[in-house]
Structures are given as structure tokens and as C-alpha cells.
Amino acid sequence: LRHWESGVGSTRLQRLRELFKEAEASFFPREQSLLALNRSIFERWIAEVGGGPGMDGDCPRAGPMSVQSIRPMLQDFSEKWPSLFDKAVDNMRNVFRLADKDCDDTKSNLTGGIVCCVADPSVNECPLVYVSQSFEDMTLYSRGFAIGRNCRFLQPSVPGVNKIINGEEVDRMRKFCESGGGANGDEAIVCLLLNERRTGERFWNLLHMQFVSVDSKAYILGV
């Protein structure tokens, strides 16, 4: 806990201490390893507070939105995903050289599709409104955790590492999200980011972002 304290707010740290105390009372070494115990506590804590130790930003759900206010947005967008995909698929084919099966699986949100997500730039913090099954499989963050949050929860948990490696790319992404996609709403950028899975394992993310309009509303598709 002392190792984590410099990167965690006092309220969040107190909650983490409480979870460790609760778990300690029911811990039996013969039935559970310390590693498993630590993982279970961390998963519960990150689900509650929205970030890991040293996370660069708390990554709360966007603005003042509650789960109840987010759900209607999800239901609304779930119907828009096929239309958004159809509008973006030709560009995705050209950029990523996708096979027909890759496209079909992605549109149907099946395992084996490509990793993608959709954010709503009209809402404060540009929250995710959709993540694919492959996004969940690759990052180990569930849809329930990711939806309603800015995608910065994928950034390295050590602020210094994130700033040195991702600083310039993060600035480019922020400006892109604020740009509105240009006059035609079809501007796109490609960024190379160091990201972390929920387990802390790092990976390189070659991210393609583009604005796609559905029913006169602009979204940002990340692949």
C-alpha cells in the first residue's frame, strides 16, 4: 500500500485498505493463494473506483452520468452499430486489409472479430459507448467496466511512463477528438500507444481513429 500511495487519492486508498481488511478475515492459505487474493481485491477495487494504482487520471464515468443515465445511451447505440460499421467498413478494409470473415465477425460482434470501440465526442470526457467482444478479450476489461469511461484507463498505470511514451500521441488524440472531424466528418488519424491490460501486462496499440456519422450524429470509431 505504501508503494501505491503516491499515485492514489486518499479516499481511494482508504477503500483499498478496507477491501484488504475484509479479505484478510476470510483468507485460508490452503484454499487460496496470495496472488489470487490480491487479484480478486484489485478487480473489485478497480471496478468501484475506476482506476488502478498510479492511474494517470481517475477515469470516472463521463461527467455526472450515472449507470441509469448511461443505459439508455447504450441501448440507443446498440441499434446504430451495424449502420456505423457499414459506413466505416470500406476505409477499414483499406487500412487493415481485412478479410470478409473479419468484417462479418466484427459487425456481428463475434469472437474473432477485430478489436474496436466507439466513443461519443458530444459528451464530456468522450466516453465509450461500445466495445467489441475482441476488445474485452484483448484488454481483459469487461464491457460493463469500459462503457461510460474515457479510454485512458488503457494507458500505463505509471504516470511517468505514460507521459514519456504516450505524451505526444495523447495530445494528438485529444485535439482530434475536439476537432469534430473536419468539414466532412471523415478525418482520421493513426497513433501508436503503449497500453496495459487489466492484469498490468503492456502491449503496443496501433490505433486508427475516425469520425463516423450515424443519423446526423458524429461518433469516433477506434480500431
Side-chain angles (χ1 to χ4, degrees):
L1 289 176
R2 287 194 299 271
H3 176 70
W4 291 350
E5 193 163 1
S6 61
V8 182
S10 60
T11 301
R12 297 169 67 201
L13 180 60
Q14 179 59 36
R15 180 54 183 153
L16 184 59
R17 292 181 186 276
E18 291 172 356
L19 290 175
F20 269 106
K21 187 174 181 179
E22 292 173 9
E24 183 181 10
S26 59
F27 176 66
F28 295 96
R30 293 184 179 180
E31 298 178 6
Q32 185 181 27
S33 69
L34 284 173
L35 181 60
L37 177 69
N38 181 69
R39 184 179 297 112
S40 66
I41 293 172
F42 180 77
E43 288 178 350
R44 182 176 173 187
W45 182 71
I46 197 174
E48 289 186 16
V49 305
M55 184 71 75
D56 185 18
D58 288 345
C59 295
R61 291 187 182 276
M65 293 194 302
S66 64
V67 174
Q68 289 74 20
S69 63
I70 290 172
R71 283 175 179 166
M73 180 173 65
L74 301 184
Q75 294 169 355
D76 178 57
F77 186 81
S78 64
E79 299 178 356
K80 294 183 178 181
W81 168 244
S83 297
L84 184 146
F85 182 83
D86 287 342
K87 286 192 173 185
V89 67
D90 287 342
N91 187 47
M92 291 167 62
R93 285 180 187 275
N94 292 334
V95 173
F96 294 98
R97 302 294 189 265
L98 298 178
D100 289 341
K101 186 178 187 305
D102 295 327
C103 294
D104 292 341
D105 289 347
T106 302
K107 182 176 180 178
S108 300
N109 196 26
L110 300 177
T111 298
I114 61 175
V115 178
C116 58
C117 59
V118 179
D120 186 347
S122 70
V123 179
N124 182 40
E125 286 288 294
C126 197
L128 297 175
V129 295
Y130 175 86
V131 297
S132 66
Q133 179 61 49
S134 293
F135 178 100
E136 296 184 78
D137 295 340
M138 181 176 186
T139 68
L140 304 181
Y141 282 99
S142 69
R143 179 175 181 268
F145 177 87
I147 296 302
R149 288 187 167 90
N150 182 285
C151 63
R152 72 169 67 93
F153 62 81
L154 292 173
Q155 295 174 11
S157 57
V158 180
V161 172
N162 186 46
K163 184 176 181 179
I164 293 172
I165 303 298
N166 293 333
E168 292 184 5
E169 295 291 69
V170 170
D171 287 341
R172 290 182 61 227
M173 291 170 60
R174 183 180 296 110
K175 291 177 181 177
F176 173 77
C177 293
E178 294 172 352
S179 72
N184 299 320
D186 56 0
E187 184 180 348
I189 64 170
V190 176
C191 298
L192 180 62
L193 300 162
L194 179 65
N195 282 172
E196 285 184 356
R197 296 181 173 87
R198 187 166 186 167
T199 56
E201 181 185 2
R202 292 173 179 168
F203 65 96
W204 288 105
N205 178 8
L206 185 61
L207 176 66
H208 178 273
M209 299 171 63
Q210 69 178 107
F211 277 86
V212 183
S213 294
V214 179
D215 297 334
S216 301
K217 180 176 174 59
Y219 293 94
I220 298 175
L221 171 64
V223 179

